Amino acid sequence: MRFTRTFSAAILSTLVGSAAHADQPVLVYEKILDHPYTQSWSTVYLGRISDNQHEVYLRGDGKIGDFFGVLYLDCDEPKYSRWEAQGGMIDTSEVPGQAIVGIRKTYCD
């Protein structure tokens, strides 16, 4: 199931509400833009699917726009990782590779 930009922040917040209390957000990447602007990418761990498969909530905030999404993360086979939900002003194509690298370093190592 793929959610579009019309998927509201309130609904997605409900999905991750209990996880947000269990784990504090982890900054996985911050892009420095024209001073004083930045774009920050933070995660909250939602849970383990299996030994090397996880669900992670990713939030992007800053000058470029807001993003929120749930990533199914396959640590053994990255090609099987996929977005399960996404919303905000920007879409998954604008999530920088450095943020994905940060997610993999945080949850797969």
Side-chain angles (χ1 to χ4, degrees), residues 41-59:
W41 298 91
S42 301
T43 62
V44 173
Y45 186 72
L46 297 179
R48 180 180 301 268
I49 307 283
S50 69
D51 287 341
N52 288 311
Q53 297 169 336
H54 311 273
E55 279 189 323
V56 178
Y57 172 74
L58 178 66
R59 174 83 183 156

Side-chain angles (χ1 to χ4, degrees), residues 3-15 57 59 66 68 85-88:
F3 294 90
T4 63
R5 292 179 191 194
T6 59
F7 188 68
S8 77
I11 293 171
L12 192 54
S13 294
T14 301
L15 289 173
Y57 172 74
R59 174 83 183 156
D66 71 327
F68 46 92
Q86 65 112 43

Side-chain angles (χ1 to χ4, degrees), residues 5-84:
R5 292 179 191 194
T6 59
F7 188 68
S8 77
I11 293 171
L12 192 54
S13 294
T14 301
L15 289 173
V16 299
S18 60
H21 296 295
D23 284 332
Q24 295 298 315
V26 174
L27 181 66
V28 291
Y29 178 65
E30 184 172 55
K31 183 173 184 169
I32 306 300
L33 305 169
D34 293 332
H35 182 72
Y37 303 108
T38 63
Q39 184 74 22
S40 299
W41 298 91
S42 301
T43 62
V44 173
Y45 186 72
L46 297 179
R48 180 180 301 268
I49 307 283
S50 69
D51 287 341
N52 288 311
Q53 297 169 336
H54 311 273
E55 279 189 323
V56 178
Y57 172 74
L58 178 66
R59 174 83 183 156
D61 288 301
K63 178 74 173 167
I64 297 171
D66 71 327
F67 172 86
F68 46 92
V70 176
L71 178 65
Y72 168 83
L73 179 64
D74 190 318
C75 293
D76 291 335
E77 297 287 339
K79 66 183 177 185
Y80 295 122
S81 298
R82 67 183 177 276
W83 292 103
E84 295 183 330

